[in-house]
Amino acid sequence: MNGKTLKKAALCIALGTCIASMAPMVMAQAVNGSVVGRTTAGDQITVTNTATGLTRTVTAGENGEYRLAQLPVGNYSLQVVRGGRPVGEPVQISVNLGSATTINLNNEGAIDMAAVQVVGSRIITPVDVRSTESALNISAEELSRLPVDRDVASVALLAPGVGKGNAGFGGISFGGSSVAENAFYVNGLNVTDFYNRVGFSEAPFSFYDQFEVKTGGYSVEFGRTTGGVVNAVAKSGGNEFHYGAELVWTPEQWQASARDSYFDGERYLTRSRDKSDSTKLNVWASGPIIQDRLFFFAMYEGRKQEPVNTDDAGATLTEGDGNDGFWGTTIDWQITDRNRLSLMAFSNQNRVDSEVYDYDFDGNGKGEKINEIYEETGGRNWAATWSSSLTDDLSMKLMYGRNERQSKQGSPLDASCNYVTRAGGVPNPGVPVGCTTNSSVYDRGDTRKQMRADFEWQLGDHLLRFGYDREENVSELDQYYPGPGGLQYNVYTTTPGATIPNSGGGVVPPGYTAYVRTRQYSVSGNFETINTAFYLEDNWQVTDRLMLNLGIRNEAFDNKDAEGRSYIKMDNMWAPRFGFSFDVKGDGTTKLFGNVGRYFLPVANVINIKQAGALLDARTYYGFDGWEIRDQGGSQYAVPILGPQFGFYDGQGNGTVGDLRAEVDRDMDQVYQDELIMGFQQQISETWSWALRGVYRRLNNAIDDMEISATGACGGDGYIGWVMANPGKEVTVWGDTNCDGDADGWVTVDTKREGWAMYDADGNYLGQRGWVEPKRTYKALELQFDRAWDGKWAFNASYTMSWSQGNAEGPVNTDTNFGDTGRTENFDDPWVNFGGYGPLANDHRHQIKLRGVYALNDYWQVGATLDARSGGPITAFGVGNPYDATPYHSYYICVANCDSEVSQDRVYQYSPRGGAGRMPWTFDVGANVAYERSFGAAKFKAKLAFFNVFNKQQPIWVYQELEPGIGDRDPFFGKERFLQSPRYGQLTVSLSY
């Protein structure tokens, strides 16, 4: 970290000049909590934020009910005033993110202690009888006592029913959904990656104050997700000045070696030399700019990252170096006790420069440098919020924000070197394959402009919430393969006579046991999607015990092409949600709750780009005639020698933008999920509570690409091509209405029974076949026990038994490691998913989660976590089927006469989804020891944590293509590909004042 850079950035943040240098100041959404309860009618309830002095007062209504809304999260003092005089003593309470703290008071102004927990000197309510949601609320303070890795995903994984993604594209799965269906917010700013919806923009852990993980039944305020929601709020300042520094050290010496993978004594995946050394030092300050009115929190984090990785063969070594810093700030202006303006901003821009060397794995020797690669990620993010309590009963929030994500990758050798890979079993040339390790030249920038208005209006027993939000999501992309001709070379094993899928019917020539696929891939353009929604919600307190939540949300999605024309436009998506909460005993200690609702999923921007961006995806197939050894800068490398060409295919992108009327269903229906939850929660004692929840989710519909090769009117002569549509539904596109070969009007195809042309071995047209409809259901039973922290110990345990079944995981495919969101293989032709119903990739039947902390004395604490889950299903995929000659993914395996050129002579065996068994259980144990001590005004903290303590490295994904070509068998089927991360340690040391 450069010293001048550190000083300049820290000063810039502290003074707020970074904010002034950005776009004009506008307003964004804040994230707050509330205090509600019952007391004597006419009482005045006053809460005062102990850090900022914010004071809010309301008068209890005729029924004794009161509500203080739009309160910033934090600690408050609550006082009852009756007849102008205080009643009872002030009490300290906590207001948490997105939840209501219920404080019921008796005639003496004292709190009903039956329904609360005392944490230190503060009071919390473990059972929120005013909420019908399913959510985990946890603070940075609580997380500091646990061995939880310092990222948002690790926090989300603490919640029941949430699991890691198993494929190469990562992510997290909520309640059986795919990893591309979630939403993430920081201070109300949506930071979800809208390009492919798998990732999100993230700040360092020290920037956050509280987290809320919504796993189901969430309010109509939230949409554009059929998975889960992670809602985080950043730290803020108060009336006292505080400052400090924190060091987070994750040295490579504390990282266990990852396992290499072997087959028949030969190493096919090299991991054991992969290491990562990370050092992060942040400095921060917070306090008043104007006492009781204007506050700031500012943070700068210097980061040093040094990842080291080998390629799969162990023939190259890549050493990375990244040292870009993070800055972030929040500014809160308490204009009056009823009006507040808040600003949050951070920059997580990062660049990693890597040098690639020849590598001798056996001798552990680094050779000559052969390449350089740079990767740039992140961007600037900011959001501002105007919160106003217009009256005691009416409050408002106005918001505007901007979220930026950059993804850039390149190399100095991009112009001269093609990327080459070889699969396991292909002869090893003894030198690196290809002269570059950069697989793609990639430059993408995503910018979201977000605005919204939210209102709350208390009308007697009804709390009305309503609002509007709008997002403008723009992706600008330029992507192509490096090297002459923009070609990538991939070498695979095969058998003579095998029919290769997606090759235009190509058959491997006699005598060849390997083939080469050259692929040319490029796309570019600027693409926009506009998402809008408005919602209305009534929280109706029917009786003292029963609350009903009645909500409706209306959404619209508008995906545009490179010229700004709408080509996927869907509106009037009505999402009703209904919930109830019943205070069983009437004292706030026990609730029965439930909800049913509908949730819509938008189309990712990657669809705009791949379909409306002149995508070129041309694949040519050759026999493999061995390796040619070449020289680049004094280093040798190998490229494949091309034999006879036997296949070509560019059906999914030929470099032109076609008539989009013929590529998108005119009347396409939306993707949505219906959810039903029933639950019970009870406070057992002052510290213990337990909960039981049943969940049912059903995904309705899918939007995916389909090849429509026939129409009802024209049969096989009505070929349309690749269409984004709803499989198994009526599809209306621009096509040939009079069977003369020219598109001249709108054609409707009922893809449930037609749309795919079938031919016999002589090419005679036999009729049509339709697609099966997509299905996905998730059923779960969750049991949870919780003991609140009382200064001595805390504990949480959950067990989830679940079933995730269907024939479509969602917009990505984990089982085939396919992460191109919304363009899965599932519905390319009717046979891909024929007979494909069964356990889905995220079906982990059993999941056990434990976390706890114990204070040995005033200074020392120990903590531990456990995440154990049963393995996911394994499917033996084939490429052919008994009904059609087109080879692609299928649930059939050829078992006899596979080399016959007559498809009807081949004999197939059904291979059901999940029919090849299951992957093993995974166990991940974390442990930490922490020391904390005050020295006058200074507080010192140190925590040593280890993750995956027992270094379990079980496979979490295995190769699942048994038959890569008709008549071929992949010897690597069932062999491990992705493993659990090895054990690693982390030291966190902080000093604050």
Side-chain angles (χ1 to χ4, degrees), residues 82 93 106 110 171 224 245 298 313 403 430 461 509 523 597 604 622 656 750-751 778 950 959:
R82 183 178 301 153
I93 63 174
N106 59 26
R224 305 179 190 122
N403 164 229
D461 294 329
V523 63
Y622 305 87
T656 65
D750 184 359
T751 64
Y778 175 78
F950 298 106
Y959 293 104

Side-chain angles (χ1 to χ4, degrees), residues 54-58 67-71 336-340 386-397 456:
L54 169 67
T55 299
R56 192 80 56 78
T57 300
V58 295
R67 177 182 180 84
L68 293 125
Q70 303 292 1
L71 294 174
T336 69
D337 286 342
R338 289 184 175 272
N339 295 280
R340 178 185 178 91
W386 177 276
S387 301
S388 180
S389 294
L390 302 174
T391 69
D392 284 352
D393 299 322
L394 179 63
S395 61
M396 173 188 71
K397 288 186 297 183
E456 287 191 6

Side-chain angles (χ1 to χ4, degrees), residues 198-385:
V198 173
F200 55 95
S201 300
E202 190 166 2
F205 211 60
S206 300
F207 188 65
Y208 300 110
D209 183 37
Q210 289 193 22
F211 301 88
E212 182 185 29
V213 183
K214 297 176 182 286
T215 56
Y218 33 89
S219 163
V220 288
E221 177 184 358
F222 294 93
R224 305 179 190 122
T225 166
T226 47
V229 175
V230 180
N231 199 15
V233 64
K235 292 178 179 177
S236 58
N239 272 326
E240 296 182 2
F241 280 105
H242 295 282
Y243 56 94
E246 182 178 63
L247 172 70
V248 181
W249 184 39
T250 311
E252 65 174 65
Q253 293 85 352
W254 294 356
Q255 180 180 348
S257 295
R259 264 197 313 109
D260 295 327
S261 296
Y262 289 83
F263 177 65
D264 284 346
E266 181 180 349
R267 187 183 68 254
Y268 67 92
L269 289 175
T270 306
R271 310 184 187 91
S272 58
R273 307 290 164 80
D274 296 351
K275 297 287 184 181
S276 179
D277 194 286
S278 171
T279 303
K280 300 177 182 180
L281 174 63
N282 75 67
V283 292
W284 61 271
S286 69
I289 300 173
I290 301 175
Q291 198 79 10
D292 290 334
R293 284 290 175 250
L294 187 60
F295 314 95
F296 79 95
F297 170 82
M299 172 181 156
Y300 179 83
E301 181 174 271
R303 301 177 289 190
K304 183 68 172 177
Q305 307 165 72
E306 297 178 304
V308 177
N309 299 281
T310 56
D311 65 349
D312 288 345
T316 63
L317 184 75
T318 301
E319 297 180 342
D321 183 14
N323 57 13
D324 288 342
F326 165 93
W327 63 258
T329 186
T330 60
I331 297 177
D332 298 290
W333 184 15
Q334 212 160 274
I335 304 170
T336 69
D337 286 342
R338 289 184 175 272
N339 295 280
R340 178 185 178 91
L341 177 62
S342 300
L343 177 68
M344 179 277 299
F346 67 87
S347 172
N348 62 351
Q349 291 175 315
N350 191 46
R351 175 174 172 134
V352 176
D353 293 290
S354 300
E355 296 181 334
V356 186
Y357 300 87
D358 279 331
Y359 184 62
D360 176 10
F361 179 85
D362 294 329
N364 194 21
K366 184 171 72 173
E368 297 291 327
K369 184 170 76 171
I370 59 176
N371 200 6
E372 297 177 1
I373 296 176
Y374 65 87
E375 293 181 88
E376 297 180 14
T377 58
R380 289 185 175 183
N381 304 266
W382 60 277
T385 305

Side-chain angles (χ1 to χ4, degrees), residues 548-577:
L548 298 182
N549 176 278
L550 308 168
I552 187 73
R553 180 182 175 93
N554 181 277
E555 302 208 55
F557 308 144
D558 186 2
N559 293 65
K560 301 181 180 182
D561 65 14
E563 297 183 8
R565 299 170 300 187
S566 298
Y567 80 101
I568 297 180
K569 188 173 184 178
M570 296 176 288
D571 53 18
N572 287 325
M573 291 177 276
W574 292 98
R577 298 177 200 172

Side-chain angles (χ1 to χ4, degrees), residues 476-598:
E476 186 173 358
L477 175 69
D478 187 18
Q479 179 182 7
Y480 53 93
Y481 284 152
L487 293 173
Q488 183 179 112
Y489 295 85
N490 311 107
V491 189
Y492 303 95
T493 59
T494 187
T495 55
T499 302
I500 303 302
N502 215 17
S503 66
V507 177
V508 178
Y512 281 89
T513 58
Y515 69 91
V516 182
R517 183 190 74 178
T518 67
R519 186 177 183 183
Q520 189 178 18
Y521 186 98
S522 64
V523 63
S524 63
N526 190 297
F527 307 87
E528 180 184 51
T529 294
I530 296 178
N531 299 328
T532 59
F534 61 86
Y535 70 90
L536 172 64
E537 180 181 79
D538 180 11
N539 292 278
W540 179 18
Q541 196 69 45
V542 182
T543 69
D544 289 347
R545 296 188 178 190
L546 177 63
M547 190 204 75
L548 298 182
N549 176 278
L550 308 168
I552 187 73
R553 180 182 175 93
N554 181 277
E555 302 208 55
F557 308 144
D558 186 2
N559 293 65
K560 301 181 180 182
D561 65 14
E563 297 183 8
R565 299 170 300 187
S566 298
Y567 80 101
I568 297 180
K569 188 173 184 178
M570 296 176 288
D571 53 18
N572 287 325
M573 291 177 276
W574 292 98
R577 298 177 200 172
F578 168 77
F580 76 93
S581 175
F582 181 63
D583 188 349
V584 178
K585 296 182 179 180
D587 60 1
T589 63
T590 307
K591 77 169 180 178
L592 178 68
F593 68 98
N595 47 64
V596 60
R598 177 163 291 182

